Amino acid sequence: MRLRTAFYTTASALSALALLSACSSGSTTSASGDTPLVGVDYPRSDTDFWNSYIKYTPQYAKKLGLSLKTTNSQNDVAKLTANAQTFISQGVKGLAMAPQDTAAIAPTLAQLEAKKIPVVTVDTRPDSGKVFMVVRADNRAYGEKACQFLGTKLAGKGKVVMLEGGLDSINGRDRTEAFNACMKKNYPGIKVFGEATNWDGAVAAQKLQTDLTAHPDIKGVYMQSSFGLSGTLQVLKQKGLLVDPKDKKHVFVVSNDGIPEELKSIAAGKIDATVSQPADLYAKYALYYLKAAIDGKTFKAGKTDHDSTIIQVRPGLLEDQLSAPLVTADGATYGGVPSVKSDDKSLWGNNLG
């Protein structure tokens, strides 16, 4: 989920700075001789989604009886590789990471495998190499849910912009391919303008503005994550399109993450839906599977006891696909996809405190 944006609130910026300090190389939580030591590399700390993941991680480490060391690779695979070397030298028994370049991480995974250090990847799945478990939601379902929502709202006709993430990431590829395939199959009367943004909020805003200028009849936007939220709202406001959903000028917007700001924007009628990516469960089950690996447990494909399904991606690679619901203002069903109301207390974005 490579996220980068030029649009942050002051509070978010201060929070990011504080979290970056807290998760710098060598940060340790409750390190002691009687609990297994595990490492967690945070992919970045400049977005609300990953800041939430960072907040949840030490909480679940404590609950699971794990000692914790953390680093932050800041979306740089070279830093992630260096951080892995640090973890090895520190004697970690397992490592959780969220590699954003899912191809370039292969040599590091091979080294960790040779050292018999189990790895859990979070949010992303490596293109090759072995890990003990991938903890992720079904990213193809993200694109399909966004497609069904927009297709329903536009009654199968019109134009939409898809602000794509990065196609060097399995997440960007899955969301893009699924959205396009769903539109082609179910809503052939809708034209999709796909815009590559590399998870960059400034690029997303500029391309959305260009598309709206060339095609003022655009009625839908799919942001592949909350990286584009602030910029999208600014562009719609500048164009006089940030209006009530009942207004005929309204542009329907679907995001992806489930951060508090998205939920507030849905309630205020500024955007219309998001897919809640489970930041809390990513932290919980990344550590759960690390502990299981250390304890010698094994898993197989099938339903779990926590409302998810483990699938076999390829021989030797399992992925626990956690629940990620569509979130809307009314909690209705769109194109056969049920949704949850934006104020539902089961959503992690409503429970940060």
Side-chain angles (χ1 to χ4, degrees):
M1 195 170 74
R2 265 170 94 182
L3 307 178
R4 181 176 58 187
T5 177
F7 304 100
Y8 299 125
T9 64
T10 300
S12 294
L14 290 173
S15 174
L17 288 172
L19 282 162
L20 181 57
S21 176
C23 62
S24 59
S25 179
S27 176
T28 307
T29 300
S30 64
S32 63
D34 58 352
T35 57
L37 177 64
V38 299
V40 176
D41 182 81
Y42 302 135
R44 58 195 315 131
S45 56
D46 58 357
T47 72
D48 288 338
F49 178 83
W50 284 113
N51 285 346
S52 299
Y53 173 76
I54 289 169
K55 176 182 176 182
Y56 285 119
T57 297
Q59 296 175 15
Y60 283 114
K62 184 176 181 180
K63 289 180 180 179
L64 290 166
L66 297 170
S67 294
L68 179 66
K69 285 186 176 292
T70 65
T71 55
N72 190 317
S73 54
Q74 299 176 314
N75 199 34
D76 184 333
V77 71
K79 288 183 179 179
L80 176 53
T81 297
N83 291 345
Q85 304 307 313
T86 299
F87 285 131
I88 291 171
S89 69
Q90 291 171 335
V92 299
K93 302 301 182 183
L95 176 57
M97 62 172 71
Q100 304 301 285
D101 188 328
T102 53
I105 196 60
T108 300
L109 294 178
Q111 183 182 18
L112 290 163
E113 182 184 10
K115 297 285 186 180
K116 300 188 184 304
I117 298 174
V119 175
V120 172
T121 63
V122 180
D123 180 56
T124 63
R125 178 204 308 150
D127 294 354
S128 61
K130 292 183 179 180
V131 298
F132 182 77
M133 183 69 73
V134 177
V135 174
R136 188 170 175 252
D138 184 350
N139 277 244
R140 292 193 65 85
Y142 292 177
E144 291 165 0
K145 290 174 182 179
C147 160
Q148 294 292 359
F149 180 85
L150 288 175
T152 299
K153 285 294 187 181
L154 273 61
K157 298 179 181 179
K159 300 175 182 178
V160 303
V161 177
M162 174 168 53
L163 300 175
E164 302 167 353
L167 299 185
D168 58 348
S169 161
I170 185 67
N171 291 353
R173 294 196 297 272
D174 276 358
R175 297 174 201 185
T176 297
E177 292 168 3
F179 186 84
N180 282 331
C182 172
M183 280 293 182
K184 183 177 180 180
K185 178 181 177 181
N186 299 296
Y187 307 104
I190 293 179
K191 181 173 179 57
V192 178
F193 297 97
E195 298 290 3
T197 71
N198 199 32
W199 307 108
D200 187 316
V203 172
Q206 183 271 319
K207 290 191 173 182
L208 177 60
Q209 187 168 40
T210 298
D211 283 339
L212 284 169
T213 299
H215 306 278
D217 55 342
I218 285 171
K219 286 297 180 181
V221 178
Y222 170 38
M223 302 180 295
Q224 288 191 0
S225 85
S226 57
F227 76 94
L229 180 62
S230 295
T232 293
L233 293 179
Q234 287 185 23
V235 170
L236 292 178
K237 185 177 181 179
Q238 290 169 2
K239 295 284 186 180
L241 301 174
L242 193 60
V243 296
D244 187 86
K246 295 180 181 179
D247 191 309
K248 65 180 182 179
K249 293 193 299 181
H250 183 77
V251 175
F252 292 96
V253 179
V254 183
S255 189
N256 197 141
D257 275 343
I259 64 172
E261 193 60 32
E262 287 176 318
L263 303 184
K264 293 175 185 175
S265 294
I266 292 172
K270 294 180 179 180
I271 70 171
D272 303 275
T274 188
V275 179
S276 180
Q277 188 164 224
D280 55 342
L281 300 185
Y282 279 2
K284 178 178 181 178
Y285 287 103
L287 294 170
Y288 166 85
Y289 284 116
L290 281 186
K291 189 173 188 299
I294 294 168
D295 291 343
K297 296 181 180 178
T298 59
F299 297 87
K300 60 183 180 180
K303 294 289 185 180
T304 72
D305 60 0
H306 49 269
D307 191 30
S308 68
T309 302
I310 296 176
I311 65 168
Q312 180 172 301
V313 178
R314 55 180 180 263
L317 184 64
L318 297 176
E319 176 174 306
D320 189 354
Q321 296 191 329
L322 303 176
S323 176
L326 178 68
V327 182
T328 63
D330 58 9
T333 296
Y334 293 90
V337 177
S339 70
V340 175
K341 286 188 177 182
S342 60
D343 60 356
D344 193 300
K345 294 303 181 184
S346 69
L347 298 170
W348 68 267
N350 287 325
N351 292 294
L352 287 180

